[in-house]
């Protein structure tokens, strides 16, 4: 999803923290097992018995919400082409793409063959809060599903049933922008989500960008603002199931301001032959009141052919 907007994301601690705090306010007893009845947006899976959030988490003063960019920038609506600028940048370099005007919506955008469908990724990572019993390991394989929507594609990553991230990616000129994203996370059977709308040069992919190119943009929710700075690292070749794939490597730093605070760091690699996420890795650190959330993850595409 930037793969996960740039993705990338990007995204997430925000709702995790809200869910944990809401659960404690609901009065779960210490040592209770997380409920199996999460809302439809994030159905919970069986977990080990975990103590309830401490009173400190509920009595602390509110602080700023934390968030990071969407994890999966896996697709868009245009077919990238290798350019002279790309050829001139054989080694990885960090570039940042600048935001431009909002993309022009198309009723039926052209989506390259092989973009829609479900892609499998070798996965490593976990998420947790400082409340005992909330750590979750991600499975060794996770999937990103790309579906046609509005001006482009909705890309969804669901590492576990309680954690769902979706971003909408749309063509803009020769590039691809993230226009919005949502993350829903559940702890203790309580789910919460946050919707962000992006504006300006919210690119996750641009053709003909050279290493060192930088751009910034903002994504806003009703009570939070995520400020993202992207930088082109360069162009790398990556083996995907025995096939060598040329990719654009972008590094993203995100800061969240509002009811919570936090930051994330993300690197993603998008194929230049067609806009799919080939590789991604990142970390997230966020805090709200006395609750701290951390996440680290990596994704590596297993096959260029999606299941449709």
């Amino acid at each position: 999803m930037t793969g996960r907007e740039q993705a990338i994301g990007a995204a997430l601690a925000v709702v995790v923290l809200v869910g944990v705090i809401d659960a404690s306010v609901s009065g779960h007893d210490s040592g209770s097992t997380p409920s199996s009845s999460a809302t439809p947006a994030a159905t919970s899976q069986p977990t080990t018995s975990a103590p309830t959030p401490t009173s400190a988490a509920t009595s602390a003063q509110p602080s700023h919400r934390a968030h990071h960019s969407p994890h999966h920038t896996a697709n868009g609506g245009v077919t990238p082409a290798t350019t002279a600028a790309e050829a001139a940048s054989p080694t990885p370099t960090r570039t940042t793409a600048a935001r431009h005007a909002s993309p022009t919506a198309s009723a039926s955008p052209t989506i390259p063959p092989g973009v829609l469908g479900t892609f499998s990724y070798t996965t490593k990572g976990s998420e947790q809060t400082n409340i005992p019993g909330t750590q979750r390991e991600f499975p060794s394989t996770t999937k990103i599903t790309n579906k046609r929507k509005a001006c482009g594609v909705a890309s969804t990553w669901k590492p576990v049933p309680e954690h769902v991230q979706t971003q909408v990616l749309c063509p803009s000129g020769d590039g691809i922008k993230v226009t919005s994203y949502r993350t829903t996370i559940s702890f203790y059977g309580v789910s919460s989500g946050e919707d962000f709308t992006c504006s300006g040069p919210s690119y996750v992919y641009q053709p003909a960008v050279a290493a060192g190119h930088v751009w910034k943009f903002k994504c806003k929710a009703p009570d939070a603002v995520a400020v993202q700075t992207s930088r082109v690292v360069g162009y790398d070749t990556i083996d995907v199931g025995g096939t060598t794939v040329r990719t654009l490597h972008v590094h993203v730093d995100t800061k969240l301001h509002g009811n919570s605070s936090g930051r994330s760091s993300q690197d993603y690699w998008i194929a230049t032959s067609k806009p799919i996420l080939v590789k991604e890795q990142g970390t997230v650190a966020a805090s709200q009141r006395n609750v701290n959330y951390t996440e680290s993850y990596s994704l590596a595409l297993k096959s260029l052919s999606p299941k449709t």
Side-chain angles (χ1 to χ4, degrees):
M1 272 178 72
T2 292
R4 285 203 114 275
E5 111 284 19
Q6 144 30 3
I8 56 66
L12 346 311
V14 145
V15 292
V16 173
L17 299 174
V18 172
V20 172
I21 293 172
D22 287 350
S24 67
V25 172
S26 298
H28 289 280
D29 295 328
S30 177
S32 63
T33 302
S35 168
S36 61
S37 58
T39 63
T43 304
S44 66
Q45 66 177 175
T47 58
T48 57
S49 177
T52 301
T54 62
S55 58
T58 61
S59 61
Q61 294 299 317
S63 78
H64 297 283
R65 242 177 212 186
H67 174 88
H68 82 31
S69 56
H71 286 313
H72 31 282
T73 46
N75 49 32
V78 296
T79 304
T82 301
T83 65
E86 292 174 346
S89 185
T91 56
T93 45
R94 298 196 180 227
T95 25
T96 32
R99 257 187 185 178
H100 303 298
S102 298
T104 300
S106 172
S108 57
T110 300
I111 298 175
V115 168
L116 299 179
T118 299
F119 294 84
S120 293
Y121 292 81
T122 298
T123 305
K124 295 180 181 179
S126 63
E127 63 182 353
Q128 65 182 355
T129 73
N130 59 325
I131 297 171
T134 56
Q135 181 173 1
R136 288 195 291 241
E137 296 291 331
F138 296 152
S140 59
T141 296
T142 60
K143 298 178 179 180
I144 291 176
T145 299
N146 302 323
K147 296 182 178 180
R148 183 185 294 273
K149 181 175 182 180
C151 63
V153 175
S155 184
T156 300
W157 182 54
K158 187 164 95 169
V160 293
E162 299 89 350
H163 183 146
V164 183
Q165 296 174 219
T166 298
Q167 62 180 346
V168 177
L169 300 160
C170 300
S172 179
D174 291 333
I176 300 167
K177 287 184 176 182
V178 55
T179 61
S180 64
Y181 56 87
R182 176 180 177 82
T183 299
T184 302
I185 298 180
S186 172
F187 281 102
Y188 298 101
V190 176
S191 296
S192 184
E194 191 82 44
D195 292 293
F196 281 76
T197 299
C198 304
S199 60
S202 56
Y203 288 99
V204 297
Y205 181 88
Q206 294 184 83
V209 287
H213 179 60
V214 174
W215 68 99
K216 297 181 180 181
F217 63 94
K218 295 180 181 180
C219 298
K220 297 182 179 180
D223 57 1
V225 176
V227 179
Q228 303 190 30
T229 300
S230 301
R231 177 180 302 169
V232 175
V233 178
Y235 293 86
D236 296 344
T237 55
I238 299 175
D239 181 88
V240 179
T243 300
T244 299
V245 180
R246 182 177 175 79
T247 65
L248 171 67
H249 178 188
V250 177
H251 176 81
V252 182
D253 289 310
T254 302
K255 295 181 181 179
L256 186 83
H257 307 279
N259 286 344
S260 298
S261 62
R263 60 180 60 216
S264 70
S265 177
Q266 172 193 25
D267 284 83
Y268 65 84
W269 290 256
I270 291 183
T272 58
S273 59
K274 63 178 180 179
I276 60 172
L277 177 70
V278 173
K279 182 180 176 181
E280 183 175 352
Q281 58 191 34
T283 60
V284 183
S287 63
Q288 183 185 44
R289 303 182 187 178
N290 286 344
V291 179
N292 299 320
Y293 170 85
T294 57
E295 176 189 358
S296 63
Y297 67 93
S298 66
L299 303 173
L301 184 63
K302 291 185 175 183
S303 172
L304 293 169
S305 300
K307 290 185 178 181
T308 57

